[in-house]
Amino acid sequence: MGLAFGRLGSGRLFIMQHTGSDSFRSPLGQARGLGSSKSGVSHWWFQRLTAVCLVPLTVWFVVWMLPLFFQAGPDALMAAFQGLEVAGPAMLWNICVFYHGALGLQVIVEDYIPSEFGKMVGIMLVKGLSVALMVVGNLAILKLFLMR
Amino acid sequence: MPKPSHARPLSPHLQVYRMGLPATLSILHRLTGMVLYGGCVLWAMVLVGMCLGSSAAVYAILHTPLGYVVSMAWVGALYYHLLNGIRHLFWDVGKGFELSQAYLSGWLVVGFTLLLTAGTWGWLLAV
């Protein structure tokens, strides 16, 4: 809490109470509705966060899952999901991969679909599909895990 | 935005400028991302198939020639996207922006992608 000093366009000085808001916009700017109407930072940040999580998860996937699918037999494959060391990372992988993929596909929709309505439809489809696949995939893993 | 009444011409780009390594790897990052998402749709279907009791069928399909081709391509895309993604993360903290560095890291990504993909499949199919 404190005082903020400023100068209007007309040259007049003004004093306002500073509420401690962390917005980079001055109170006058906010009142006038200046600046961007959107925010892309959370998209950028979660894209990087899920990417970092996916680095070890991908290593796990390659080292654990690929041999299960291509070297062990189908029974060993199913039995493996009853262990937490497969089911746990597999569920985490699902969450991160579909979150990261949804953010990536969203950017593709925004880049290549020109109309605003088309963008909205495209983004809803992408996010909806990703959530559905993630939930269904994790439910399947849960069922396999509980099959012991 | 309302549709303009005349479609104004775009300045030519791909017909004029040669795409160097950084630009090529950038679009490849996007393409591999899309391929990986498609593969993850299949992955979800594999999980559902397994939980419905058809793991034998799922396993059999994966081991057809088409199954192998799709899986190998997906793993290749995965390695490329992972390595180039790490390259992107270095850029995010401000490192490696000089053109020579971008080219070096780019060629390293390509080289290790090929090495890791070939190595992984050599190992998976050898046993």
Side-chain angles (χ1 to χ4, degrees), chain B residues 20-56:
Chain B
L21 186 71
T24 307
L25 296 189
S26 176
I27 189 63
L28 200 54
H29 194 75
R30 180 168 274 196
L31 284 174
T32 50
M34 294 197 279
V35 163
L36 287 172
Y37 192 91
C40 286
V41 173
L42 295 175
W43 155 255
M45 286 164 61
V46 160
L47 288 174
V48 169
M50 280 177 61
C51 103
L52 293 177
S54 324
S55 4

Side-chain angles (χ1 to χ4, degrees), chain B residues 6 8 12 16 21 34-36 43 51-52 58 65 72 96 99 114-116 121 123:
Chain B
H6 339 274
R8 302 194 194 280
V16 180
L21 186 71
M34 294 197 279
V35 163
L36 287 172
W43 155 255
C51 103
L52 293 177
V58 165
M72 288 187 191
L99 195 60
L114 294 170
L115 265 175
L116 284 171
W121 284 102
W123 162 60

Side-chain angles (χ1 to χ4, degrees), chain B residues 66-79:
Chain B
L66 183 64
Y68 272 113
V69 165
V70 168
S71 305
M72 288 187 191
W74 189 83
V75 168
L78 184 67
Y79 278 130

Side-chain angles (χ1 to χ4, degrees), chain A residues 48 58 61-62 67 69-72 77-78 81 93-94 97-98 107-108 111-112 130 133 136 140 143 147, chain B residues 30 34 37 40-41 43 46-48 50-51 55 59 62-63 68 71 74 78-79 92 121 123-124 127:
Chain A
R48 269 64 184 172
T58 302
F61 191 92
V62 164
F69 279 103
F70 288 96
Q71 292 177 331
L77 174 62
M78 257 192 88
F81 274 94
W93 158 269
N94 266 5
V97 115
F98 283 114
V107 185
I108 291 175
D111 279 352
Y112 297 134
S130 302
L133 289 171
V136 164
K143 178 159 187 230
M147 263 184 192
Chain B
R30 180 168 274 196
M34 294 197 279
Y37 192 91
C40 286
V41 173
W43 155 255
V46 160
L47 288 174
V48 169
M50 280 177 61
C51 103
S55 4
Y59 199 84
L62 273 175
H63 287 251
Y68 272 113
S71 305
W74 189 83
L78 184 67
Y79 278 130
D92 285 337
W121 284 102
W123 162 60
L124 280 175
V127 175

